[in-house]
Amino acid sequence: MKSALLAASLVLVGGTALGCSGGGGGAGAPTDASEEDYCAGYQSLFDDMSTMADATDAEIIAQIKDWATTMEETGTPEDMPEDARAGFETTMTLINDLDDDAQQEDFEKIDEDLSEDETAQVDEFDTYTTDTCGSPMDNLEVPEIPTETPSQ
């Protein structure tokens, strides 16, 4: 189950729509980050997750929330389009609103209440980030999955 939450978090944060559940989030984040700082902050989640194979759900959720705080402190580059910035804010808000004791199934339902506009904005955030920083999965070391069943 832990690897499933790790995988779900990487996929959801790294390239799938996330929902919005209220104000706050990235709305107050700076809009003048360098592309280098922005990309380093964005990639940090994927780097950190690659070392958490035995983490609990709570540890994974805490890491995702820490990442959102880092992204909010770093902010976005000033050339980020308005819709991409709105998608960034939506993503950060949703992550901040996650309960500390959220489980895998909570995380998997994170995008249930998206409007069409929110979906489009988060897609713009993803597109901008991938175009600016490259794919977050490019440098990720995925642990090997056993191909043989252990003998009993």
Side-chain angles (χ1 to χ4, degrees), residues 27-111:
T31 57
D32 61 352
S34 71
E35 282 185 8
E36 182 178 336
D37 289 345
Y38 173 77
C39 292
Y42 186 77
Q43 182 65 41
S44 69
L45 175 67
F46 304 92
D47 295 341
D48 293 341
M49 287 292 182
S50 69
T51 66
M52 297 185 72
D54 296 323
T56 65
D57 287 358
E59 291 168 332
I60 294 167
I61 295 299
Q63 186 62 48
I64 293 167
K65 291 180 92 156
D66 287 347
W67 170 80
T69 299
T70 297
M71 290 302 294
E72 290 171 343
E73 290 169 355
T74 302
T76 57
E78 65 183 321
D79 70 343
M80 179 181 265
E82 188 175 315
D83 280 350
R85 173 64 188 211
F88 166 84
E89 292 174 7
T90 296
T91 302
M92 298 308 120
T93 297
L94 177 66
I95 292 170
N96 285 324
D97 288 349
L98 266 174
D99 288 334
D100 290 341
D101 62 351
Q103 300 294 309
Q104 177 179 339
E105 51 274 1
D106 301 319
F107 198 82
E108 289 171 354
K109 294 187 227 176
I110 210 163
D111 61 351

